């Protein structure tokens, strides 16, 4: 099954360095029967985009956890120049597309959610999708409002939409070490 796993730049570095990683909560997103039913008119490619977008949104939550776990960060961590500071998260959403076996459907959590059976090895990774640098200011702002957007705040949804308007760039697995070196 092709799954889409939310990630951040440090998670990608771990994947390259250790050749495997275990996603937080074993959570990933995929084209599931429940997702197909919810989007009856979508073809497989459109449904895969929905699952990837769900993973990209979950990546915002991982970025928030990175930022909030940073003891050296000041209160204005979302300023665009902060994204370049070594102590701050790199405000780019990341999604790992991998082909795995043993993923369990979790329609009780959401239509596209699956739970993984174990760690993801580098050889299971099909591709990696990462925001380009021009998305960083909008992603940084979206990290601050992701919870409010999920609760229906229209202003927060607008900010989140600005970040989600940026398409994730596609990278082959062999390109990942070079991408990380450039960040």
């Amino acid at each position: 099954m092709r799954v889409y796993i939310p990630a951040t730049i440090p998670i990608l570095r771990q994947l390259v360095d250790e050749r495997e990683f275990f996603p937080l909560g074993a959570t990933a997103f995929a084209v599931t029967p429940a997702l197909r039913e919810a989007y009856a008119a979508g073809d497989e490619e459109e449904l895969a985009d929905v699952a990837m977008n769900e993973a990209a949104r979950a990546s915002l939550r991982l970025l928030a956890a990175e930022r909030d776990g940073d003891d050296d960060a000041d209160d204005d961590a979302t300023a665009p120049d902060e994204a370049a500071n070594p102590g701050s998260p790199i405000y780019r959403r990341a999604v790992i597309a991998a082909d795995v076996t043993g993923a369990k459907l979790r329609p009780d959590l959401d239509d596209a959610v699956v739970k993984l059976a174990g760690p993801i090895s580098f050889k299971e990774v099909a591709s990696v999708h990462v925001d380009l640098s021009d998305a960083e200011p909008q992603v940084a702002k979206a990290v601050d409002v992701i919870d409010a957007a999920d609760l229906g705040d229209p202003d927060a949804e607008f900010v989140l939409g600005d970040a989600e308007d940026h398409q994730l760039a596609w990278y082959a697995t062999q390109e990942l070490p070079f991408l990380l070196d450039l960040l």
Side-chain angles (χ1 to χ4, degrees):
M1 168 184 279
R2 172 71 49 99
V3 297
Y4 301 94
I5 306 161
T8 62
I9 299 303
I11 291 171
L12 296 177
R13 290 187 199 286
Q14 177 188 359
L15 175 62
V16 169
D17 292 345
E18 298 176 13
R19 309 307 280 176
E20 75 173 13
F21 84 103
F22 194 80
L24 184 63
T27 300
F29 300 84
V31 177
T32 65
L35 185 66
R36 280 188 184 94
E37 186 176 318
Y39 289 87
D43 64 18
E44 284 298 310
E45 188 174 325
E46 291 169 329
L47 293 172
D49 284 344
V50 170
M52 185 181 307
N53 289 337
E54 291 294 320
R57 185 172 279 206
S59 176
L60 291 171
R61 294 186 186 289
L62 295 175
L63 285 166
E66 279 182 11
R67 184 203 53 211
D68 295 344
D70 181 5
D71 295 333
D72 297 327
D74 61 26
D75 291 336
D76 192 19
T78 61
D81 58 348
E82 284 292 312
N85 289 344
S88 297
I90 297 174
Y91 288 102
R92 297 190 191 194
R93 297 168 301 157
V95 175
I96 300 167
D99 296 315
V100 301
T101 58
K104 294 187 189 235
L105 303 177
R106 290 299 308 265
D108 57 312
L109 298 176
D110 203 333
D111 291 340
V113 174
V114 295
K115 291 293 183 173
L116 302 174
I120 301 299
S121 72
F122 194 79
K123 63 183 176 181
E124 290 175 302
V125 175
S127 59
V128 176
H129 308 263
V130 180
D131 274 317
L132 298 176
S133 63
D134 64 338
E136 288 184 39
Q138 289 81 23
V139 170
K141 290 174 186 173
V143 166
D144 288 336
V145 300
I146 183 68
D147 290 333
D150 284 347
L151 294 173
D153 180 308
D155 293 332
E157 289 175 4
F158 182 75
V159 171
L160 184 62
D162 285 345
E164 291 179 337
D165 284 344
H166 290 273
Q167 294 292 317
L168 299 176
W170 179 93
Y171 296 93
T173 54
Q174 62 268 30
E175 295 175 304
L176 186 54
F178 301 108
L179 168 67
L180 296 173
D181 285 344
L182 293 173
L183 296 176

